[in-house]
Amino acid sequence: MVRGLSVMIVGNGAREDVISHAYRNSPQVERVIVTPGNDFLNWRKKNVIVDKRSSLKDPISILRIAEEYKPDLIDVAQDDALASGTVDLLQQNGFQVFGPTKLAARIESDKNWARQFMQRQEIPHPKFRYFDNEASAIEYVTRLYQENPGIFYIKAIGLCAGKGALKSTTLEQAIQNIRLMKTFPDRAGRRFLIEEGLVGEEFSYYAISDGLSYRIFKSAQDNKTVNNFDEGEQTGGMGAISPALITNPLKDEIEKQMISKVILGMASEGVPFTGILYLGGIVVNGKLMNIEYNARWGDPECQVVLPSLKTDYLDLIQACLEKRLNQVKISQDNKTRVCIVGASRGYPQDYSQARGKRIYGLEQAMQLEGINIFGAGIDIIDGKTYANGGRLFSVVAEGKDILEARQRAYSAIAYISIEGNNLHYRTDIGWRDVERILK
Ligand code: GLY
């Protein structure tokens, strides 16, 4: 076994905090560097360096950091960095890099390419149509509502931090959402899709792939809207559970229809996918449909899935890079995990009034049994924690089942507050499985 390795992680959220934990659990890893990171990532942790001098949309800035620290391995974990070709640039400069190339990451960063790929590979997906023109989209949607009113999604082609799919239940709303497409940053909605809306129960699955073979982790389910009862605006995710019981009878079908077809399909099309494949799916009247694929771990789903891994994460990543994943088994515990995301009041809209406010109680919550806290938008000044972002931290609890894990998670978050009553979190994370169990 090699020891004394250094790993650099590219990203800045609670997901990267979890990934950092996973690498540090390996006896082979001596040092972790996270860029651009956040203050929480190396707070009271040995051998973690946070270097904020990079920008996730600027691969050259990431290369500069890599050249300085010369890590043995770089894990590009964040979507903007993947979409902007960071993996390709680092590889061209001689680094060992885990993550999909820019072309492979199109499965997330170009929703039109992804849907066409699904069509070619016969992966079940909703009906969709591509637009780069507002007037023709409005004409199309008007016709749709005349013929068959229902739910439609207007979906930006580019990356929008999980907020790019706008639900429409009326023609007026659909037109308004089409007009909103041009307001997304970085012209992410200049091109967009109009998709039929699916009604059912969503889930997600994660697979690691070396481009030829793959291994599957436990399932998860996130709660995406900002408020309880799945109401309010879409966010990056307000909480998650793993496993998600809805997937139990469907696991083989999910693997066959929605994971295997991607890995084999991308390899056969000459764009092998090496990295973490995120499947966002939905069960509609017992049938599987795809919502989306992403080219990385979900956030907050990573917080509930990756800690279950008992296999050395570094070994797994190295097996991928050496194209011998088919020789490796992965082992996971059988606990249930619940994650509650603590956000600034006002998120995902204007949360400026929370910026710079003290966050109290994180340390007390971290002491509790079965609890881990992973940090995102947190500044640390003189050992004190302050809000600096929309999603601030993830409280993750483990238990023998969802009832125990959920009870622990809510007991822990009860210790935490933000000066001026500025903490927002959902109080119903995992409600579907709680109902399922109690029924
Ligand atoms: N939680 C959704 C995502 O990571 O895209």
Side-chain angles (χ1 to χ4, degrees):
M1 182 192 288
V2 186
R3 289 187 187 265
L5 298 180
S6 65
V7 177
M8 181 169 122
I9 301 166
V10 178
N12 61 353
R15 167 184 54 206
E16 285 70 21
D17 200 358
V18 185
I19 295 172
S20 160
H21 271 258
Y23 281 114
R24 285 186 293 119
N25 280 340
S26 166
Q28 303 167 78
V29 174
E30 184 174 294
R31 182 167 83 153
V32 169
I33 303 116
V34 192
T35 190
N38 67 65
D39 282 355
F40 195 85
L41 289 168
N42 62 347
W43 189 45
R44 299 182 180 174
K45 291 169 197 119
K46 276 197 205 140
N47 303 333
V48 182
I49 295 171
V50 170
D51 195 318
K52 294 187 181 169
R53 290 172 300 162
S54 69
S55 158
L56 291 165
K57 292 182 182 170
D58 176 5
I60 293 189
S61 70
I62 296 164
L63 174 63
R64 296 281 168 265
I65 305 286
E67 284 169 338
E68 197 168 313
Y69 293 97
K70 300 187 175 37
D72 298 293
L73 166 74
I74 304 176
D75 184 330
V76 183
Q78 200 273 352
D79 28 323
D80 289 312
L82 291 166
S84 55
T86 305
V87 170
D88 313 53
L89 183 69
L90 292 169
Q91 280 173 345
Q92 284 151 17
N93 282 274
F95 289 98
Q96 281 248 72
V97 192
F98 179 68
T101 59
K102 183 174 179 172
L103 274 185
R106 279 181 305 174
I107 195 142
E108 169 168 16
S109 62
D110 184 338
K111 305 279 183 252
N112 188 39
W113 184 88
R115 282 287 182 243
Q116 287 177 0
F117 170 78
M118 289 176 228
Q119 249 172 357
R120 290 194 294 278
Q121 299 300 329
E122 298 180 349
I123 295 169
H125 61 276
K127 292 192 193 101
F128 70 99
R129 191 171 291 200
Y130 166 84
F131 291 93
D132 57 9
N133 175 300
E134 203 175 272
S136 13
I138 291 175
E139 195 184 304
Y140 173 72
V141 91
T142 306
R143 218 172 45 244
L144 278 182
Y145 272 93
Q146 277 162 359
E147 286 164 9
N148 192 10
I151 302 171
F152 294 94
Y153 278 88
I154 317 296
K155 224 175 189 180
I157 296 279
L159 297 179
C160 297
K163 299 166 216 156
L166 304 181
K167 184 177 177 180
S168 317
T169 52
T170 63
L171 175 59
E172 292 67 34
Q173 209 176 17
I175 293 173
Q176 190 188 11
N177 288 338
I178 289 169
R179 294 197 166 122
L180 278 175
M181 286 289 124
K182 60 179 172 293
T183 67
F184 284 126
D186 299 330
R187 293 162 56 87
R190 185 178 57 83
R191 302 178 300 131
F192 55 92
L193 304 179
I194 299 183
E195 287 195 355
E196 72 173 321
L198 302 173
V199 181
E201 183 168 343
E202 293 187 28
F203 63 89
S204 56
Y205 250 106
Y206 298 83
I208 185 168
S209 174
D210 62 7
L212 302 166
S213 47
Y214 61 85
R215 293 283 179 265
I216 297 181
F217 296 93
K218 284 200 224 181
S219 62
Q221 186 167 58
D222 73 344
N223 293 96
K224 285 201 175 75
T225 64
V226 69
N227 295 326
N228 283 358
F229 314 114
D230 296 334
E231 286 174 359
E233 277 178 81
Q234 291 287 113
T235 69
M238 293 303 293
I241 59 162
S242 176
L245 298 180
I246 177 90
T247 59
N248 282 356
L250 298 164
K251 189 166 182 264
D252 292 347
E253 189 65 10
I254 292 170
E255 175 173 352
K256 194 165 134 214
Q257 292 292 336
M258 298 187 141
I259 295 176
S260 171
K261 283 185 179 178
V262 174
I263 304 303
L264 300 181
M266 289 190 72
S268 74
E269 293 190 11
V271 198
F273 185 94
T274 301
I276 302 290
L277 178 73
Y278 165 145
L279 154 68
I282 185 165
V283 184
V284 184
N285 298 326
K287 290 218 170 77
L288 292 172
M289 290 286 256
N290 176 280
I291 303 264
E292 63 178 352
Y293 287 109
N294 293 320
R296 37 96 196 159
W297 284 105
D299 184 343
E301 297 92 322
C302 183
Q303 286 86 309
V304 286
V305 178
L306 190 51
S308 72
L309 186 68
K310 296 203 273 185
T311 311
D312 184 315
Y313 197 49
L314 186 85
D315 280 346
L316 204 53
I317 302 299
Q318 278 177 333
C320 272
L321 296 178
E322 290 160 18
K323 306 269 177 245
R324 51 175 180 78
L325 191 61
N326 60 349
Q327 296 164 19
V328 176
K329 282 213 169 85
I330 67 170
S331 150
Q332 297 166 92
D333 67 27
N334 54 14
K335 292 178 182 162
T336 295
R337 288 180 176 78
V338 170
C339 168
I340 308 167
V341 171
S344 291
R345 187 169 296 288
Y347 172 78
Q349 291 287 331
D350 179 14
Y351 48 83
S352 52
Q353 87 290 344
R355 194 178 298 278
K357 297 278 193 298
R358 271 286 296 278
I359 307 176
Y360 300 106
L362 286 172
E363 287 172 273
Q364 286 88 339
M366 283 158 86
Q367 314 294 327
L368 300 173
E369 193 193 338
I371 295 293
N372 254 308
I373 297 193
F374 301 102
I378 294 182
D379 280 346
I380 302 192
I381 303 166
D382 296 332
K384 299 192 174 89
T385 49
Y386 296 87
N388 180 17
R391 291 194 295 172
L392 303 172
F393 56 85
S394 291
V395 173
V396 179
E398 57 184 47
K400 61 179 183 310
D401 58 24
I402 189 160
L403 299 179
E404 185 177 74
R406 196 180 198 238
Q407 190 264 327
R408 282 181 170 163
Y410 279 108
S411 302
I413 205 165
Y415 280 79
I416 305 173
S417 66
I418 300 181
E419 192 183 345
N421 196 16
N422 273 304
L423 175 62
H424 171 70
Y425 60 90
R426 277 180 62 160
T427 59
D428 65 344
I429 300 301
W431 66 269
R432 288 178 187 273
D433 274 3
V434 171
E435 281 187 6
R436 211 171 251 123
I437 281 193
L438 295 179
K439 214 154 56 186

